[in-house]
Amino acid sequence: QVQLVESGGGLVQPGGSLRVSCAASGSIFSINTMGWYRQAPGNQRELVAAISAVGNTNYADSVKDRFTISRDYAKNTVFLQMNSLKPEDTAVYYCKVELGNGYDYWGQGTQVTVSS
């Protein structure tokens, strides 16, 4: 009923920038929280950033002052602007959307690789 399509991942050098996006479509009445998670090989999936329905944001300490999460409310899309990227940011980045009815949906994941 609900599909999340991620885009924007890729290979970037340390210190570079990437912008990933996640567009939700389908049977959507409203969206509560949208967020980005990441999972590196051998690690557990961790929250990177989240943004609420009213625009409140929170970030993992490791990405504060480097990443910015934003939403296009009209298009049901969430973005993650990643600046000053580090090799330790390398991971598969997953979009998560909590609908107004409380149900969660996950994107397919997009690979972000930071390497020289």
Side-chain angles (χ1 to χ4, degrees):
Q1 292 184 334
V2 176
Q3 299 82 42
L4 274 57
V5 179
E6 301 180 27
S7 62
L11 174 65
V12 65
Q13 293 184 344
S17 298
L18 280 176
R19 183 180 176 90
V20 292
S21 63
C22 173
S25 62
S27 300
I28 300 173
F29 177 74
S30 65
I31 295 175
N32 185 14
T33 300
M34 306 184 81
W36 289 95
Y37 295 71
R38 68 186 182 188
Q39 187 167 20
N43 293 348
Q44 293 191 324
R45 191 171 299 185
E46 64 177 353
L47 174 68
V48 177
I51 183 167
S52 75
V54 296
N56 296 322
T57 60
N58 64 278
Y59 298 90
D61 288 341
S62 60
V63 306
K64 287 181 179 177
D65 301 321
R66 297 189 299 120
F67 291 9
T68 302
I69 189 169
S70 61
R71 291 172 69 162
D72 185 329
Y73 290 89
K75 295 183 177 181
N76 292 329
T77 301
V78 62
F79 306 92
L80 185 67
Q81 178 68 45
M82 301 180 286
N83 298 327
S84 301
L85 282 162
K86 305 174 181 180
E88 49 263 48
D89 295 317
T90 296
V92 177
Y93 283 70
Y94 296 92
C95 173
K96 181 183 178 181
V97 172
E98 180 191 10
L99 300 185
N101 63 8
Y103 283 83
D104 294 336
Y105 291 87
W106 290 88
Q108 81 280 7
T110 184
Q111 177 71 47
V112 172
T113 302
V114 184
S115 176
S116 59

